[in-house]
PDB file of all heavy atoms in Angstrom:
ATOM      1  N   LEU A  30       4.289   4.280   2.241  1.00 88.00           N
ATOM      2  CA  LEU A  30       5.176   3.966   3.335  1.00 88.00           C
ATOM      3  C   LEU A  30       4.603   4.413   4.631  1.00 88.00           C
ATOM      4  O   LEU A  30       4.653   3.531   5.544  1.00 88.00           O
ATOM      5  CB  LEU A  30       6.515   4.781   3.028  1.00 88.00           C
ATOM      6  CG  LEU A  30       7.376   4.274   1.911  1.00 88.00           C
ATOM      7  CD1 LEU A  30       8.605   5.359   1.811  1.00 88.00           C
ATOM      8  CD2 LEU A  30       7.931   2.985   2.292  1.00 88.00           C
ATOM      9  N   GLU A  31       3.920   5.521   4.746  1.00 86.00           N
ATOM     10  CA  GLU A  31       3.278   5.923   5.875  1.00 86.00           C
ATOM     11  C   GLU A  31       2.204   4.838   6.370  1.00 86.00           C
ATOM     12  O   GLU A  31       1.981   4.605   7.508  1.00 86.00           O
ATOM     13  CB  GLU A  31       2.705   7.315   5.731  1.00 86.00           C
ATOM     14  CG  GLU A  31       2.099   7.969   6.913  1.00 86.00           C
ATOM     15  CD  GLU A  31       1.604   9.304   6.859  1.00 86.00           C
ATOM     16  OE1 GLU A  31       1.674   9.816   5.656  1.00 86.00           O
ATOM     17  OE2 GLU A  31       1.097   9.945   7.900  1.00 86.00           O
ATOM     18  N   ALA A  32       1.392   4.370   5.342  1.00 86.00           N
ATOM     19  CA  ALA A  32       0.319   3.508   5.647  1.00 86.00           C
ATOM     20  C   ALA A  32       0.901   2.182   6.219  1.00 86.00           C
ATOM     21  O   ALA A  32       0.297   1.627   7.165  1.00 86.00           O
ATOM     22  CB  ALA A  32      -0.442   3.289   4.422  1.00 86.00           C
ATOM     23  N   VAL A  33       2.052   1.766   5.669  1.00 84.00           N
ATOM     24  CA  VAL A  33       2.684   0.536   6.234  1.00 84.00           C
ATOM     25  C   VAL A  33       3.063   0.666   7.590  1.00 84.00           C
ATOM     26  O   VAL A  33       2.895  -0.221   8.485  1.00 84.00           O
ATOM     27  CB  VAL A  33       3.834   0.044   5.264  1.00 84.00           C
ATOM     28  CG1 VAL A  33       4.556  -1.127   5.942  1.00 84.00           C
ATOM     29  CG2 VAL A  33       3.295  -0.442   3.833  1.00 84.00           C
ATOM     30  N   ALA A  34       3.702   1.861   7.893  1.00 80.00           N
ATOM     31  CA  ALA A  34       4.186   2.197   9.229  1.00 80.00           C
ATOM     32  C   ALA A  34       2.948   2.153  10.251  1.00 80.00           C
ATOM     33  O   ALA A  34       2.975   1.718  11.368  1.00 80.00           O
ATOM     34  CB  ALA A  34       4.793   3.541   9.193  1.00 80.00           C
ATOM     35  N   GLN A  35       1.839   2.771   9.775  1.00 76.00           N
ATOM     36  CA  GLN A  35       0.571   3.005  10.639  1.00 76.00           C
ATOM     37  C   GLN A  35      -0.081   1.506  10.903  1.00 76.00           C
ATOM     38  O   GLN A  35      -0.460   1.124  12.037  1.00 76.00           O
ATOM     39  CB  GLN A  35      -0.321   3.778  10.095  1.00 76.00           C
ATOM     40  CG  GLN A  35       0.101   5.339  10.102  1.00 76.00           C
ATOM     41  CD  GLN A  35      -0.799   6.238   9.396  1.00 76.00           C
ATOM     42  OE1 GLN A  35      -1.614   5.727   8.678  1.00 76.00           O
ATOM     43  NE2 GLN A  35      -0.552   7.567   9.607  1.00 76.00           N
ATOM     44  N   LEU A  36      -0.113   0.600   9.777  1.00 78.00           N
ATOM     45  CA  LEU A  36      -0.842  -0.495   9.822  1.00 78.00           C
ATOM     46  C   LEU A  36       0.035  -1.610  10.501  1.00 78.00           C
ATOM     47  O   LEU A  36      -0.564  -2.661  11.064  1.00 78.00           O
ATOM     48  CB  LEU A  36      -1.230  -1.064   8.324  1.00 78.00           C
ATOM     49  CG  LEU A  36      -2.346  -0.222   7.712  1.00 78.00           C
ATOM     50  CD1 LEU A  36      -2.461  -0.609   6.150  1.00 78.00           C
ATOM     51  CD2 LEU A  36      -3.746  -0.434   8.369  1.00 78.00           C
ATOM     52  N   GLY A  37       1.323  -1.487  10.397  1.00 73.00           N
ATOM     53  CA  GLY A  37       2.138  -2.539  10.945  1.00 73.00           C
ATOM     54  C   GLY A  37       2.595  -3.495   9.938  1.00 73.00           C
ATOM     55  O   GLY A  37       2.032  -3.751   8.891  1.00 73.00           O
ATOM     56  N   SER A  38       3.594  -4.249  10.446  1.00 70.00           N
ATOM     57  CA  SER A  38       4.175  -5.423   9.612  1.00 70.00           C
ATOM     58  C   SER A  38       3.145  -6.419   9.255  1.00 70.00           C
ATOM     59  O   SER A  38       2.335  -6.797  10.104  1.00 70.00           O
ATOM     60  CB  SER A  38       5.338  -6.047  10.387  1.00 70.00           C
ATOM     61  OG  SER A  38       5.871  -7.183   9.570  1.00 70.00           O
ATOM     62  N   GLY A  39       3.111  -6.844   7.909  1.00 76.00           N
ATOM     63  CA  GLY A  39       2.152  -7.719   7.590  1.00 76.00           C
ATOM     64  C   GLY A  39       0.935  -7.058   6.840  1.00 76.00           C
ATOM     65  O   GLY A  39       0.009  -7.854   6.403  1.00 76.00           O
ATOM     66  N   ALA A  40       0.863  -5.808   6.655  1.00 82.00           N
ATOM     67  CA  ALA A  40      -0.211  -5.155   6.019  1.00 82.00           C
ATOM     68  C   ALA A  40      -0.274  -5.679   4.588  1.00 82.00           C
ATOM     69  O   ALA A  40       0.804  -5.733   3.819  1.00 82.00           O
ATOM     70  CB  ALA A  40      -0.029  -3.614   5.992  1.00 82.00           C
ATOM     71  N   THR A  41      -1.529  -5.930   4.139  1.00 87.00           N
ATOM     72  CA  THR A  41      -1.627  -6.474   2.767  1.00 87.00           C
ATOM     73  C   THR A  41      -1.784  -5.261   1.801  1.00 87.00           C
ATOM     74  O   THR A  41      -2.057  -4.101   2.193  1.00 87.00           O
ATOM     75  CB  THR A  41      -2.974  -7.257   2.649  1.00 87.00           C
ATOM     76  OG1 THR A  41      -4.142  -6.396   2.902  1.00 87.00           O
ATOM     77  CG2 THR A  41      -2.946  -8.464   3.720  1.00 87.00           C
ATOM     78  N   ALA A  42      -1.592  -5.535   0.503  1.00 89.00           N
ATOM     79  CA  ALA A  42      -1.676  -4.523  -0.631  1.00 89.00           C
ATOM     80  C   ALA A  42      -3.116  -3.918  -0.477  1.00 89.00           C
ATOM     81  O   ALA A  42      -3.326  -2.757  -0.694  1.00 89.00           O
ATOM     82  CB  ALA A  42      -1.393  -5.097  -1.915  1.00 89.00           C
ATOM     83  N   LYS A  43      -4.080  -4.848  -0.262  1.00 90.00           N
ATOM     84  CA  LYS A  43      -5.517  -4.296  -0.227  1.00 90.00           C
ATOM     85  C   LYS A  43      -5.753  -3.328   0.914  1.00 90.00           C
ATOM     86  O   LYS A  43      -6.332  -2.195   0.749  1.00 90.00           O
ATOM     87  CB  LYS A  43      -6.493  -5.444  -0.187  1.00 90.00           C
ATOM     88  CG  LYS A  43      -7.973  -5.090  -0.052  1.00 90.00           C
ATOM     89  CD  LYS A  43      -8.813  -6.414   0.050  1.00 90.00           C
ATOM     90  CE  LYS A  43     -10.308  -6.090   0.168  1.00 90.00           C
ATOM     91  NZ  LYS A  43     -11.143  -7.329   0.233  1.00 90.00           N
ATOM     92  N   ASP A  44      -5.156  -3.624   2.079  1.00 88.00           N
ATOM     93  CA  ASP A  44      -5.250  -2.761   3.212  1.00 88.00           C
ATOM     94  C   ASP A  44      -4.583  -1.543   3.020  1.00 88.00           C
ATOM     95  O   ASP A  44      -5.027  -0.401   3.465  1.00 88.00           O
ATOM     96  CB  ASP A  44      -4.797  -3.554   4.465  1.00 88.00           C
ATOM     97  CG  ASP A  44      -5.599  -4.654   5.039  1.00 88.00           C
ATOM     98  OD1 ASP A  44      -6.738  -4.624   4.554  1.00 88.00           O
ATOM     99  OD2 ASP A  44      -4.939  -5.483   5.705  1.00 88.00           O
ATOM    100  N   ILE A  45      -3.437  -1.598   2.402  1.00 92.00           N
ATOM    101  CA  ILE A  45      -2.679  -0.383   2.284  1.00 92.00           C
ATOM    102  C   ILE A  45      -3.381   0.549   1.184  1.00 92.00           C
ATOM    103  O   ILE A  45      -3.377   1.799   1.486  1.00 92.00           O
ATOM    104  CB  ILE A  45      -1.178  -0.696   1.750  1.00 92.00           C
ATOM    105  CG1 ILE A  45      -0.471  -1.531   2.687  1.00 92.00           C
ATOM    106  CG2 ILE A  45      -0.414   0.565   1.417  1.00 92.00           C
ATOM    107  CD1 ILE A  45       0.797  -2.226   2.288  1.00 92.00           C
ATOM    108  N   ALA A  46      -3.909   0.075   0.057  1.00 91.00           N
ATOM    109  CA  ALA A  46      -4.569   0.740  -0.884  1.00 91.00           C
ATOM    110  C   ALA A  46      -5.921   1.429  -0.161  1.00 91.00           C
ATOM    111  O   ALA A  46      -6.079   2.604  -0.591  1.00 91.00           O
ATOM    112  CB  ALA A  46      -4.998  -0.137  -2.027  1.00 91.00           C
ATOM    113  N   ALA A  47      -6.546   0.717   0.627  1.00 90.00           N
ATOM    114  CA  ALA A  47      -7.649   1.247   1.271  1.00 90.00           C
ATOM    115  C   ALA A  47      -7.249   2.304   2.191  1.00 90.00           C
ATOM    116  O   ALA A  47      -7.983   3.379   2.288  1.00 90.00           O
ATOM    117  CB  ALA A  47      -8.455   0.119   2.082  1.00 90.00           C
ATOM    118  N   GLN A  48      -6.192   2.221   2.969  1.00 87.00           N
ATOM    119  CA  GLN A  48      -5.730   3.319   3.868  1.00 87.00           C
ATOM    120  C   GLN A  48      -5.366   4.596   3.110  1.00 87.00           C
ATOM    121  O   GLN A  48      -5.695   5.634   3.817  1.00 87.00           O
ATOM    122  CB  GLN A  48      -4.617   2.674   4.682  1.00 87.00           C
ATOM    123  CG  GLN A  48      -3.877   3.655   5.586  1.00 87.00           C
ATOM    124  CD  GLN A  48      -4.628   3.558   6.961  1.00 87.00           C
ATOM    125  OE1 GLN A  48      -5.508   2.973   7.227  1.00 87.00           O
ATOM    126  NE2 GLN A  48      -3.922   4.203   8.095  1.00 87.00           N
ATOM    127  N   THR A  49      -4.717   4.402   2.054  1.00 90.00           N
ATOM    128  CA  THR A  49      -4.333   5.604   1.352  1.00 90.00           C
ATOM    129  C   THR A  49      -5.366   6.231   0.301  1.00 90.00           C
ATOM    130  O   THR A  49      -5.181   7.334  -0.108  1.00 90.00           O
ATOM    131  CB  THR A  49      -3.088   5.199   0.505  1.00 90.00           C
ATOM    132  OG1 THR A  49      -3.308   4.294  -0.324  1.00 90.00           O
ATOM    133  CG2 THR A  49      -1.856   4.859   1.611  1.00 90.00           C
ATOM    134  N   GLY A  50      -6.307   5.448  -0.081  1.00 92.00           N
ATOM    135  CA  GLY A  50      -7.129   5.822  -1.148  1.00 92.00           C
ATOM    136  C   GLY A  50      -6.638   5.750  -2.561  1.00 92.00           C
ATOM    137  O   GLY A  50      -7.073   6.341  -3.475  1.00 92.00           O
ATOM    138  N   ILE A  51      -5.532   4.949  -2.600  1.00 93.00           N
ATOM    139  CA  ILE A  51      -4.951   4.868  -4.014  1.00 93.00           C
ATOM    140  C   ILE A  51      -5.420   3.666  -4.684  1.00 93.00           C
ATOM    141  O   ILE A  51      -5.658   2.634  -4.059  1.00 93.00           O
ATOM    142  CB  ILE A  51      -3.248   4.777  -3.760  1.00 93.00           C
ATOM    143  CG1 ILE A  51      -2.731   5.940  -3.056  1.00 93.00           C
ATOM    144  CG2 ILE A  51      -2.674   4.398  -5.066  1.00 93.00           C
ATOM    145  CD1 ILE A  51      -1.302   5.906  -2.797  1.00 93.00           C
ATOM    146  N   ALA A  52      -5.709   3.753  -5.888  1.00 92.00           N
ATOM    147  CA  ALA A  52      -6.178   2.631  -6.756  1.00 92.00           C
ATOM    148  C   ALA A  52      -5.423   1.382  -6.455  1.00 92.00           C
ATOM    149  O   ALA A  52      -4.198   1.569  -6.582  1.00 92.00           O
ATOM    150  CB  ALA A  52      -6.288   2.974  -8.186  1.00 92.00           C
ATOM    151  N   PRO A  53      -5.950   0.203  -6.329  1.00 91.00           N
ATOM    152  CA  PRO A  53      -5.255  -0.878  -6.014  1.00 91.00           C
ATOM    153  C   PRO A  53      -4.110  -1.277  -7.060  1.00 91.00           C
ATOM    154  O   PRO A  53      -2.967  -1.718  -6.644  1.00 91.00           O
ATOM    155  CB  PRO A  53      -6.247  -2.050  -6.053  1.00 91.00           C
ATOM    156  CG  PRO A  53      -7.602  -1.410  -5.546  1.00 91.00           C
ATOM    157  CD  PRO A  53      -7.353  -0.024  -6.293  1.00 91.00           C
ATOM    158  N   ALA A  54      -4.356  -1.205  -8.282  1.00 92.00           N
ATOM    159  CA  ALA A  54      -3.469  -1.369  -9.324  1.00 92.00           C
ATOM    160  C   ALA A  54      -2.292  -0.553  -9.245  1.00 92.00           C
ATOM    161  O   ALA A  54      -1.051  -0.969  -9.330  1.00 92.00           O
ATOM    162  CB  ALA A  54      -4.119  -1.330 -10.750  1.00 92.00           C
ATOM    163  N   THR A  55      -2.472   0.794  -8.897  1.00 92.00           N
ATOM    164  CA  THR A  55      -1.402   1.734  -8.828  1.00 92.00           C
ATOM    165  C   THR A  55      -0.687   1.373  -7.523  1.00 92.00           C
ATOM    166  O   THR A  55       0.500   1.429  -7.489  1.00 92.00           O
ATOM    167  CB  THR A  55      -2.025   3.103  -8.813  1.00 92.00           C
ATOM    168  OG1 THR A  55      -2.630   3.408  -9.905  1.00 92.00           O
ATOM    169  CG2 THR A  55      -0.759   4.234  -8.506  1.00 92.00           C
ATOM    170  N   ALA A  56      -1.330   1.030  -6.445  1.00 91.00           N
ATOM    171  CA  ALA A  56      -0.783   0.816  -5.078  1.00 91.00           C
ATOM    172  C   ALA A  56       0.125  -0.410  -5.363  1.00 91.00           C
ATOM    173  O   ALA A  56       1.361  -0.403  -4.809  1.00 91.00           O
ATOM    174  CB  ALA A  56      -1.806   0.623  -4.033  1.00 91.00           C
ATOM    175  N   TYR A  57      -0.250  -1.418  -5.886  1.00 90.00           N
ATOM    176  CA  TYR A  57       0.391  -2.652  -6.037  1.00 90.00           C
ATOM    177  C   TYR A  57       1.777  -2.356  -6.900  1.00 90.00           C
ATOM    178  O   TYR A  57       2.836  -2.924  -6.533  1.00 90.00           O
ATOM    179  CB  TYR A  57      -0.322  -3.787  -6.709  1.00 90.00           C
ATOM    180  CG  TYR A  57       0.250  -5.095  -6.545  1.00 90.00           C
ATOM    181  CD1 TYR A  57       0.281  -5.812  -5.390  1.00 90.00           C
ATOM    182  CD2 TYR A  57       0.930  -5.725  -7.637  1.00 90.00           C
ATOM    183  CE1 TYR A  57       0.775  -7.031  -5.205  1.00 90.00           C
ATOM    184  CE2 TYR A  57       1.443  -7.000  -7.591  1.00 90.00           C
ATOM    185  CZ  TYR A  57       1.483  -7.653  -6.340  1.00 90.00           C
ATOM    186  OH  TYR A  57       2.022  -8.806  -6.171  1.00 90.00           O
ATOM    187  N   ARG A  58       1.630  -1.554  -7.942  1.00 92.00           N
ATOM    188  CA  ARG A  58       2.826  -1.277  -8.785  1.00 92.00           C
ATOM    189  C   ARG A  58       3.825  -0.518  -7.927  1.00 92.00           C
ATOM    190  O   ARG A  58       5.009  -0.777  -7.961  1.00 92.00           O
ATOM    191  CB  ARG A  58       2.429  -0.547 -10.027  1.00 92.00           C
ATOM    192  CG  ARG A  58       3.638  -0.061 -10.830  1.00 92.00           C
ATOM    193  CD  ARG A  58       3.065   0.702 -12.104  1.00 92.00           C
ATOM    194  NE  ARG A  58       2.330   1.741 -11.790  1.00 92.00           N
ATOM    195  CZ  ARG A  58       2.830   3.057 -11.554  1.00 92.00           C
ATOM    196  NH1 ARG A  58       4.203   3.137 -11.540  1.00 92.00           N
ATOM    197  NH2 ARG A  58       2.037   3.987 -11.262  1.00 92.00           N
ATOM    198  N   LEU A  59       3.429   0.585  -7.205  1.00 92.00           N
ATOM    199  CA  LEU A  59       4.321   1.222  -6.336  1.00 92.00           C
ATOM    200  C   LEU A  59       4.922   0.400  -5.318  1.00 92.00           C
ATOM    201  O   LEU A  59       6.084   0.716  -4.849  1.00 92.00           O
ATOM    202  CB  LEU A  59       3.553   2.512  -5.788  1.00 92.00           C
ATOM    203  CG  LEU A  59       3.311   3.613  -6.946  1.00 92.00           C
ATOM    204  CD1 LEU A  59       2.412   4.671  -6.387  1.00 92.00           C
ATOM    205  CD2 LEU A  59       4.528   4.231  -7.492  1.00 92.00           C
ATOM    206  N   LEU A  60       4.039  -0.461  -4.669  1.00 92.00           N
ATOM    207  CA  LEU A  60       4.701  -1.278  -3.561  1.00 92.00           C
ATOM    208  C   LEU A  60       5.847  -2.110  -4.104  1.00 92.00           C
ATOM    209  O   LEU A  60       6.746  -2.240  -3.445  1.00 92.00           O
ATOM    210  CB  LEU A  60       3.549  -2.270  -3.019  1.00 92.00           C
ATOM    211  CG  LEU A  60       2.393  -1.454  -2.131  1.00 92.00           C
ATOM    212  CD1 LEU A  60       1.399  -2.207  -1.896  1.00 92.00           C
ATOM    213  CD2 LEU A  60       2.999  -0.990  -0.749  1.00 92.00           C
ATOM    214  N   ASN A  61       5.659  -2.695  -5.433  1.00 90.00           N
ATOM    215  CA  ASN A  61       6.693  -3.552  -5.844  1.00 90.00           C
ATOM    216  C   ASN A  61       7.830  -2.752  -6.136  1.00 90.00           C
ATOM    217  O   ASN A  61       9.069  -3.257  -6.107  1.00 90.00           O
ATOM    218  CB  ASN A  61       6.214  -4.143  -7.257  1.00 90.00           C
ATOM    219  CG  ASN A  61       5.252  -5.401  -6.962  1.00 90.00           C
ATOM    220  OD1 ASN A  61       5.392  -5.990  -5.800  1.00 90.00           O
ATOM    221  ND2 ASN A  61       4.385  -5.566  -7.776  1.00 90.00           N
ATOM    222  N   LEU A  62       7.841  -1.344  -6.521  1.00 91.00           N
ATOM    223  CA  LEU A  62       8.885  -0.639  -6.883  1.00 91.00           C
ATOM    224  C   LEU A  62       9.585  -0.276  -5.454  1.00 91.00           C
ATOM    225  O   LEU A  62      10.861  -0.255  -5.329  1.00 91.00           O
ATOM    226  CB  LEU A  62       8.416   0.743  -7.471  1.00 91.00           C
ATOM    227  CG  LEU A  62       8.011   0.642  -8.998  1.00 91.00           C
ATOM    228  CD1 LEU A  62       7.527   1.893  -9.337  1.00 91.00           C
ATOM    229  CD2 LEU A  62       9.269   0.145  -9.830  1.00 91.00           C
ATOM    230  N   LEU A  63       8.861  -0.106  -4.378  1.00 91.00           N
ATOM    231  CA  LEU A  63       9.448   0.237  -3.080  1.00 91.00           C
ATOM    232  C   LEU A  63      10.195  -0.981  -2.554  1.00 91.00           C
ATOM    233  O   LEU A  63      11.070  -0.906  -1.868  1.00 91.00           O
ATOM    234  CB  LEU A  63       8.399   0.636  -2.164  1.00 91.00           C
ATOM    235  CG  LEU A  63       7.839   2.083  -2.403  1.00 91.00           C
ATOM    236  CD1 LEU A  63       6.462   2.296  -1.613  1.00 91.00           C
ATOM    237  CD2 LEU A  63       8.769   3.152  -2.085  1.00 91.00           C
TER     238      LEU A  63
END
């Protein structure tokens, strides 16, 4: 959530995962839950 706020609207899953250091597969699963 913090990464999306920092990156701004339109941030991609790849950008968000890179910003947080979270594995892409885990990030994508949690993004869908959010």
Side-chain angles (χ1 to χ4, degrees):
L30 288 174
E31 184 177 3
V33 174
Q35 292 173 348
L36 292 169
S38 180
T41 65
K43 181 179 179 181
D44 290 339
I45 297 166
Q48 176 88 351
T49 57
I51 297 172
T55 301
Y57 194 74
R58 177 175 59 82
L59 290 174
L60 287 168
N61 284 332
L62 289 173
L63 290 168

